Amino acid sequence: MKKIAVSALILASAVSLSACSTLRGAAIGGAGGAGVAAATGGSIEKGAAVGGTAGAVVGTVAD
């Protein structure tokens, strides 16, 4: 259940912080994902990867 909550927080961070470009969205999402993972005691690398992917998707859709 904790992994689902962390994933939801990472996705929410990416959605709320992403910009209108794919690269900027990926960078912001990656930073947000790493921050959420660090705050919740999760894997920072995985958090950054998931956040970066989510941010890139949101940046692509918003563009």
Side-chain angles (χ1 to χ4, degrees), residues 11-30 32 51-63:
L11 182 60
S13 296
V15 169
S16 66
L17 295 175
S18 67
C20 291
S21 71
T22 302
L23 292 176
R24 186 175 287 169
I28 293 171
T53 301
V57 169
V58 172
T60 300
V61 171
D63 227 6

Side-chain angles (χ1 to χ4, degrees), residues 33-61:
V36 170
T40 59
S43 170
I44 295 173
E45 293 86 8
K46 289 180 184 177
V50 172
T53 301
V57 169
V58 172
T60 300
V61 171

